[in-house]
Amino acid sequence: MDKFVIKGGRRLTGEVNISGAKNAVVAILPAVLLSDEPCIIENVPSISDVKISLTILREMGAEVTPIGKDTYRIDPTTVNNYCVPYETARKMRASYYFLGALLGKFNKARVSMPGGCSLGDRPIDQHLKAFKVLGANHSLSQGMIDLTAEKLVGGQIFFDVVTVGATMNAMLAGVKAEGLTIIENAAKEPHIVDLANFLNSMGANIMGAGTDYIKIRGVKHLHGTTYSVIPDQIEAGTFMIAAAATGGDVLVKNVIPKHLESITKKLEKIGVNIESFDDSIRVWVDGPLVKANIKTSPHPGFPTDMQPQIATLLTLASGTSIITEGIWDQRFRYVEELRRMGADITVNGTVALIEGKGNLMGAPVKACDLRAGAALIIAGLSASGITEIEDIYHIERGYDGMEVKLRQMGADIRKVSLPDENDDKESEQKTVSRNDINDDAEAV
Ligand code: EPU
């Protein structure tokens, strides 16, 4: 088990390179299954959700070959299996994209109910509704979802809620369905557009992605392609806030500034300076941070996946801020941990009241999900003293080498391997003490 040990109080300066988007790549990798030829996927982030997706592809019979640091050649022509077992699927929420991709390829799919971040109730009724419109029936047994269709035929899908996952799954299943598929009340996130662009680069005919009305004309075959995943807007936003929280001055590189508009607008309101360039954003602070009210909502609104990070920044600002979570029922579980660091936050249902105190104090804390973990890193970087963050596997699901990138900007953060509770003296000796965190030697 690993943890991060952070000695807070260092300004972040310099540059950081943003990796490919988690929430795009976890749909693009299953989408490769739909191709009749090998595909080359570039700008793939090195995160555990990608490792799991590639394992699933390999287990299904695909040939996955790394080419360089962040590029993979994936040959799906050898896939002869439409089942994603519990052992792999449970590790990742996004395993539900194999439902749409396998259904589109084989007219059937068998995938374990997904795992992933616990943010409250995470139903998949809208995914199943879309599959049903296209002609697939589902059944659930032993924790596995089975989908079967005689053939897929286009239809009109209207989502009752705006959902990223179901919009992507409807595209995956609809791309080879006979005739026309219409998706209404579709989600508009940048990763929806990226999946559509990827599928279109294989010969699909998807129009309107990025609006709430997507039109798909089914095609019989999809061919191979070379495609580069978009930069991760949430990783970029997280580093922007980390820079702001430490009073730093950072150039965030390899971004699409348009995707970051809702974040940059709020940061400017809080008193953070932002300068946008073609594919980079400079973030710096030279004055006081002030309160702001934020409500998360689907794109182009303020992203829920940035909510814990900006809440952390607001604990450092003067005044009372109100945060309303508009997507997930339980996305304030990290607040308990921030309180241990001295934050004054009161939560009532999906609303949090933050009394900005200007500073946080280091403490031992636990990441309860991916973005909560990122928020605790930001808290630790800005706090006085030492912060130790446990359960960092959540963070590694979605951030590519976060501590390495932070160290390059001057942060004092180390990854430390913890001995298992049952381990003996030998592993005790391997524990790195708090005094060791300035050493450059590899953490054990
Ligand atoms: N919903 C339903 N029924 C469904 C699907 C969703 O009621 O069938 C509801 C959900 O309960 C939620 C809302 O619709 O209240 C939005 O859910 P959505 O389907 O958009 O979420 P998701 O696809 O499961 C993705 C990201 C999340 C991100 C949300 C919202 C991936 C793999 N995950 O989840 O990312 O919070 O969209 O933008 O793309 C993260 O990266 O930290 C993360 C949790």
Side-chain angles (χ1 to χ4, degrees), residues 23 96 122-126 163-165 305 327-328 331 371:
N23 289 345
Y96 55 41
R122 296 189 76 168
I124 58 161
D125 57 301
Q126 299 300 304
T163 144
V164 170
D305 296 342
I327 308 289
W328 300 114
R331 209 166 199 171
R371 309 304 171 187

Side-chain angles (χ1 to χ4, degrees), residues 22-24 26 49 93-94 96-97 117 119 121-128 161-166 168 187 189 191 234 304-305 326-329 331 369-371 397:
K22 167 181 98 76
N23 289 345
V26 292
D49 272 11
R93 176 80 196 162
Y96 55 41
Y97 290 130
C117 281
L119 308 169
D121 199 16
R122 296 189 76 168
I124 58 161
D125 57 301
Q126 299 300 304
H127 303 236
L128 300 176
V161 290
V162 179
T163 144
V164 170
M168 304 264 234
E189 271 65 6
H191 26 291
I234 304 300
T304 174
D305 296 342
I327 308 289
W328 300 114
D329 293 344
R331 209 166 199 171
D369 65 59
L370 168 60
R371 309 304 171 187
R397 279 189 42 227

Side-chain angles (χ1 to χ4, degrees), residues 270-281:
I270 294 169
V272 179
N273 301 302
I274 309 270
E275 192 177 359
S276 294
F277 304 98
D278 282 352
D279 60 358
S280 59
I281 289 192

